[in-house]
Amino acid sequence: MHQWGPQVKVTREQAAANRAAIVKAAARLFRERGFDGVGVAEIMKAAGLTHGGFYGHFASKDALAAEACGVAFKDMVDRLAGGRGLAKGDLAQYVDGYLSETHRDRRDIGCPIAAFASDIPRQDVGVQAEYAQGIDHFADTLIGRFPSLAGNDGDGRAPDRGKALLMMSALVGGLALARAAAATDPELSNEILSSLKAELTRGDTAG
């Protein structure tokens, strides 16, 4: 005769909380170590759950990666849209924070564009789609927060996203280079951050 252990019923609310904890842990660990640098068991441990419960929430690690990527972008866009203490249109202050040593050193809680960029081409198409959508949304949010990036001089025409895409590319590329040099040449890393900040905030960027 089979003997079964005690059955623990998980409420719908608890299941949703568990899933959110898994996604939050994955978003952090994937940014810190890359999609291929962390396994399901470690993600579940970081979420405070057992490995065996993973497939009750996700069909695969790729499915989790796509959702975690989307959540990481949403968090970043929500913080930008909300201002995080920035005055409306204060682009120089945003650039200063993005290209800070703190952001360089804390990739686990930082921008997913920079954190995921080198990994994305090797990931499942669902992850790639979330990443591309995140970039698209981030560019629009930059324009919404910083009118000087609209590229239309406030004349009522639809925004030209060229300036926003250029700014985003400079920020992400500069951060990636600073991170790559930080361990072996911290002086160069700091120089990249400071030089890029100076160039990107040159002139009247507060409009």
Side-chain angles (χ1 to χ4, degrees):
M1 182 173 65
H2 293 291
Q3 293 184 347
W4 303 98
Q7 299 298 303
V8 179
K9 185 176 180 179
V10 178
T11 65
R12 184 175 302 175
E13 291 77 13
Q14 186 59 55
N18 289 348
R19 183 186 179 95
I22 296 168
V23 174
K24 181 179 180 180
R28 177 177 60 81
L29 289 170
F30 286 150
R31 274 179 286 187
E32 181 181 9
R33 307 220 309 260
F35 293 108
D36 299 328
V38 60
V40 168
E42 189 171 358
I43 292 169
M44 294 298 284
K45 182 178 180 180
L49 300 167
T50 61
H51 186 186
F54 177 81
Y55 291 101
H57 295 280
F58 300 95
S60 66
K61 183 183 173 183
D62 285 338
L64 171 60
E67 187 164 332
C69 182
V71 165
F73 269 102
K74 183 179 185 303
D75 288 347
M76 177 181 68
V77 166
D78 286 350
R79 289 196 301 269
L80 175 57
R84 297 182 65 187
L86 294 176
K88 179 69 173 178
D90 192 350
L91 180 59
Q93 187 178 349
Y94 180 74
V95 169
D96 188 66
Y98 191 101
L99 295 174
S100 67
E101 293 179 26
T102 299
H103 191 197
R104 178 196 63 194
D105 298 340
R106 290 298 310 274
R107 62 185 300 150
D108 59 319
I109 58 173
C111 172
I113 306 178
F116 295 151
S118 62
D119 273 355
I120 287 297
R122 297 185 296 274
Q123 300 308 307
D124 180 79
V125 65
V127 184
Q128 294 184 29
E130 286 287 349
Y131 187 81
Q133 182 178 334
I135 291 175
D136 190 56
H137 195 187
F138 183 63
D140 288 339
T141 307
L142 277 175
I143 291 172
R145 281 295 302 167
F146 309 117
S148 64
L149 296 179
N152 58 9
D153 299 320
D155 59 7
R157 292 182 291 117
D160 175 355
R161 300 203 307 174
K163 290 180 70 175
L165 291 172
L166 178 61
M167 175 62 70
M168 178 174 61
S169 299
L171 290 171
V172 171
L175 183 62
L177 289 175
R179 283 175 173 169
T184 57
D185 196 338
E187 185 176 345
L188 173 60
S189 179
N190 290 337
E191 182 183 7
I192 292 168
L193 294 177
S194 61
S195 297
L196 192 55
K197 277 191 281 190
E199 289 299 322
L200 292 179
T201 58
R202 189 183 302 278
D204 182 12
T205 57

